[in-house]
């Protein structure tokens, strides 16, 4: 390794894909389509490859450079490649530390591909879609019931859900730290600070609103991939904001505050017409147990709890689907 690869942690190729598409560059998409045994990534993980860069990871760093090489060769030839690594692979010099075998489909994609444009557009509008491909023909369709990644030996289907979004209400160190950590974790971030500075957002890449929380929630538009955290302290409109959050489709709603004051807060919520079922959704005090009370520790515990809840929600949705990855052939090419 000659340099740090800062694009390795990217788990969702749609962000860099939008930039590649805007630049009019061709690319290749490498998809982990089948796993035999244990492996660092699940089937459905992807890498994006261009002539000069690649994003994402399919293993523990064992194969990514080689996959990128195949991606560029596939782009030059205009044909997809099916790769086998680990057990059953023709490349005995490339070892998988996990001892498993994995199959990767590498597909070259032209800059003007209609499916790419549809995928990027759905990402911007936060619409869930299913991307399906056999390596040469791609299709993007609205998602129905969520399902597991599917591979039938010649093509795959993969659900692309909207990116997890964290909406933070507050202005102190914990709120700002949580915004920074959530951005680094790949989440979309919105900061709501009623009466906050009439200035640009404190961090690049976040949404910022200065209005009352309930108004901001209505303006932003809350969906089932949004988490809402109230990190302000005893503002008069805190409970109104919490009431609006609990009535929304948000998958997580949390509030900072001492346990000793929780009963009083719940009484105020009931006064705002919040039902017992909605109150049962509230995470309070906010964050995972075992962290300290410094702003950064509060922020870390919050983002970890949101990530945990998002993962549990996605896993529950996937369990309703049927994976056919076990039918994948052990095909590979050697170039």
């Amino acid at each position: 390794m000659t340099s740090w690869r800062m694009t390795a942690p990217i788990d969702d190729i749609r962000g860099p894909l939008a930039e590649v598409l805007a630049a009019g560059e061709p690319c290749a998409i490498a998809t982990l389509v089948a796993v035999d045994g244990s492996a660092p990534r699940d089937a459905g993980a992807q890498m994006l490859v261009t002539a000069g860069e690649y994003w994402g990871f399919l293993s523990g760093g064992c194969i990514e450079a080689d996959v990128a090489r195949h991606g560029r060769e596939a782009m030059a030839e205009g044909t997809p490649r099916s790769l086998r690594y680990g057990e059953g692979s023709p490349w005995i010099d490339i070892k998988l530390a996990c001892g498993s075998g994995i199959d990767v489909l590498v597909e070259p994609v032209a800059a003007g591909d209609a499916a790419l444009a549809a995928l990027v557009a759905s990402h911007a509008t936060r619409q869930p879609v299913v991307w399906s491909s056999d390596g040469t023909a791609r299709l993007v369709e609205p998602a129905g019931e969520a399902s597991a990644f599917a591979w039938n030996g010649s093509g795959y289907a993969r659900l692309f859900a909207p990116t997890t979004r964290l909406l933070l209400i507050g202005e102190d160190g914990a709120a700002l730290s949580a915004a920074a950590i959530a951005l680094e974790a790949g989440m979309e971030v919105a900061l709501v600070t009623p009466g906050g500075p009439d200035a640009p957002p404190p961090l690049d890449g976040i949404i910022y609103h200065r209005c009352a929380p309930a108004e901001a929630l209505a303006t932003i538009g809350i969906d089932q991939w949004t988490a809402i955290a109230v990190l302000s302290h005893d503002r008069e409109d805190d409970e109104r904001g919490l009431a609006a959050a609990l009535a929304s489709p948000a998958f997580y709603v949390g509030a900072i505050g001492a346990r000793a004051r929780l009963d009083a807060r719940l009484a105020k919520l009931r006064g705002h017409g919040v039902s017992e079922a909605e109150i049962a959704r509230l995470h309070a005090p906010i964050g995972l147990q075992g962290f300290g009370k410094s702003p950064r520790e509060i922020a870390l515990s919050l983002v970890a709890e949101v990530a945990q809840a998002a993962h549990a929600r996605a896993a529950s949705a996937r369990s309703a689907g049927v994976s056919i990855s076990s039918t994948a052939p052990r095909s590979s090419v050697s170039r």
Side-chain angles (χ1 to χ4, degrees):
M1 184 174 67
T2 59
S3 62
W4 297 110
R5 195 166 76 83
M6 301 306 293
T7 55
I10 292 174
D11 191 44
D12 188 336
I13 66 169
R14 290 177 294 180
L17 183 58
E19 298 178 8
V20 169
L21 189 65
E25 291 186 67
C27 63
I29 296 173
T31 304
L32 179 60
V33 294
V35 176
D36 294 333
S38 62
R41 303 303 313 277
D42 293 327
Q46 291 181 313
M47 283 175 54
L48 177 67
V49 181
T50 62
E53 184 59 273
Y54 62 98
W55 295 261
F57 64 108
L58 303 181
S59 187
C62 314
I63 66 170
E64 283 72 18
D66 192 65
V67 171
R69 175 180 68 82
H70 280 287
R72 288 164 186 144
E73 292 177 0
M75 290 164 58
E77 297 171 1
T79 55
R81 295 186 174 194
S82 180
L83 312 176
R84 176 73 180 183
Y85 293 99
E87 183 183 355
S89 171
W91 304 298
I92 60 175
D93 58 324
I94 301 177
K95 304 294 185 181
L96 297 185
C98 56
S100 64
I102 63 175
D103 292 296
V104 178
L105 178 64
V106 178
E107 53 188 304
V109 188
D113 188 272
L116 278 189
L119 181 61
V120 169
S122 69
H123 187 221
T125 57
R126 296 184 63 80
Q127 298 299 314
V129 295
V130 172
W131 165 282
S132 56
S133 174
D134 62 3
T136 57
R138 286 155 290 278
L139 182 65
V140 172
E141 299 177 294
E145 292 296 321
S147 63
F149 176 84
W151 164 250
N152 63 8
S154 60
Y156 69 89
R158 182 196 193 281
L159 174 68
F160 276 97
T163 302
T164 298
R165 178 171 57 192
L166 177 57
L167 192 155
L168 299 159
I169 300 173
E171 69 286 333
D172 67 0
L176 297 176
S177 294
I181 294 170
L183 279 176
E184 181 61 27
M187 299 180 186
E188 294 182 9
V189 179
L191 179 65
V192 178
T193 305
D198 186 7
L203 297 168
D204 291 337
I206 72 172
I207 300 169
Y208 171 51
H209 287 270
R210 302 175 62 241
C211 55
E215 181 183 347
L217 267 60
T219 300
I220 293 169
I222 306 305
D223 56 32
Q224 59 186 306
W225 298 275
T226 299
I228 303 172
V230 175
L231 292 169
S232 53
H233 297 271
D234 299 323
R235 284 185 178 271
E236 292 183 2
D237 52 7
D238 279 356
E239 273 63 48
R240 284 192 292 272
L242 264 180
L246 290 168
S248 77
F251 73 88
Y252 172 99
V253 179
I256 200 169
R259 293 183 185 276
R261 296 200 298 271
L262 183 57
D263 287 344
R265 165 163 268 175
L266 298 184
K268 289 183 179 179
L269 289 173
R270 293 184 182 98
H272 286 289
V274 179
S275 70
E276 295 303 316
E278 290 170 338
I279 286 175
R281 298 180 57 209
L282 180 63
H283 295 256
I286 212 165
L288 296 177
Q289 298 295 314
F291 287 80
K293 295 184 178 181
S294 72
R296 285 174 176 162
E297 289 181 301
I298 292 171
L300 182 58
S301 71
L302 163 62
V303 175
E305 186 175 47
V306 169
Q308 183 184 65
H311 179 77
R313 180 188 178 281
S316 176
R318 285 195 300 269
S319 68
V322 178
S323 174
I324 55 175
S325 61
S326 60
T327 66
R330 294 188 177 185
S331 57
S332 62
V333 299
S334 180
R335 301 290 178 88

